[in-house]
Amino acid sequence: MKGARGKGAARNTAEALRPADDRKVGKRKALVDQSSIRKAKKERRAMKDPNKPKRPPSAFFVFLEEFRATFKKENPNVKAVSAVGKAAGEKWKSLSEDEKAPYEAKAAKRKADYEKQMNAYNRKQETAANGEESEKSKSEVNDEDDEASGEVDNNSRTMRRRKKRKRTKMMIEKVDG
């Protein structure tokens, strides 16, 4: 019976005991420039809309806004953000539910405002998308009306085609950003 020689089998040879750097490894893939990988990842990411409302802060971050000011007055020499965060975290944990209530109420109010802003933003996005579609459908309807009435000449048809191409190019440029 032969010993197991699969991928998961343990090897007790001198090669297995040597550090990984000393081993002769088989074929390796060509080295890839890290900056080109980062650029490719950035290109894949969707562009953020600057008009989109920011998410509201949680109760802790509402507390943190006030705590920062008091902490800096008490400790003017401390400049590290991590120290402020740690101190705020400890203070937040020590607060009772009653002491946290005003911060949670402020956070809830901000969340309600955010939801209103997001609804308005989403409606605006939908109307913008529908507006583009309606322009397309208008040109298509005009084509059909002209063809039905028999008033189509080649010049007006080519003009409509040019306008349509121009609109699609503009839409593509918007998407590509």
Side-chain angles (χ1 to χ4, degrees):
M1 209 169 154
K2 294 184 179 181
R5 282 288 194 191
K7 287 183 180 179
R11 296 182 184 167
N12 289 333
T13 62
E15 182 182 326
L17 298 175
R18 247 189 284 153
D21 295 339
D22 295 343
R23 292 185 192 159
K24 291 183 179 177
V25 182
K27 295 180 182 177
R28 291 184 178 240
K29 293 182 180 178
L31 293 175
V32 179
D33 185 22
Q34 293 296 323
S35 62
S36 63
I37 292 173
R38 283 188 214 117
K39 287 178 186 175
K41 285 184 181 180
K42 282 184 180 179
E43 290 173 2
R44 275 188 253 146
R45 281 189 215 142
M47 295 296 292
K48 291 183 180 179
D49 186 0
N51 298 327
K52 187 175 181 180
K54 288 189 174 183
R55 293 183 67 189
S58 65
F60 172 72
F61 282 98
V62 174
F63 163 75
L64 187 61
E65 290 171 0
E66 293 179 13
F67 181 80
R68 269 195 200 108
T70 58
F71 186 81
K72 287 192 177 189
K73 286 178 185 174
E74 294 171 4
N75 305 307
N77 296 335
V78 178
K79 303 287 183 188
V81 175
S82 59
V84 177
K86 286 179 184 177
E90 291 172 7
K91 175 86 174 180
W92 180 256
K93 287 178 185 176
S94 68
L95 292 178
S96 67
E97 293 297 320
D98 294 335
E99 294 171 325
K100 289 181 182 180
Y103 302 111
E104 291 171 351
K106 287 179 185 177
K109 183 181 177 190
R110 288 187 185 183
K111 187 175 181 180
D113 292 342
Y114 168 76
E115 288 173 354
K116 288 178 187 175
Q117 290 174 348
M118 277 303 293
N119 287 336
Y121 173 79
N122 289 334
R123 274 188 258 117
K124 189 175 180 182
Q125 293 295 329
E126 288 174 6
T127 56
N130 290 339
E132 291 173 4
E133 291 173 8
S134 64
E135 287 179 15
K136 292 178 186 177
S137 60
K138 285 178 187 175
S139 64
E140 291 171 2
V141 169
N142 288 341
D143 289 343
E144 291 172 2
D145 290 343
D146 290 345
E147 290 172 1
S149 64
E151 298 176 4
V152 178
D153 62 343
N154 287 336
N155 193 23
S156 62
R157 185 179 285 169
T158 54
M159 291 300 291
R160 283 193 302 271
R161 287 180 184 161
R162 286 180 187 164
K163 286 181 183 178
K164 192 172 183 179
R165 283 189 208 122
K166 190 174 181 179
R167 278 195 307 266
T168 54
K169 283 183 183 179
M170 290 173 62
M171 287 175 54
I172 291 170
E173 288 174 358
K174 283 183 184 177
V175 171
D176 291 340

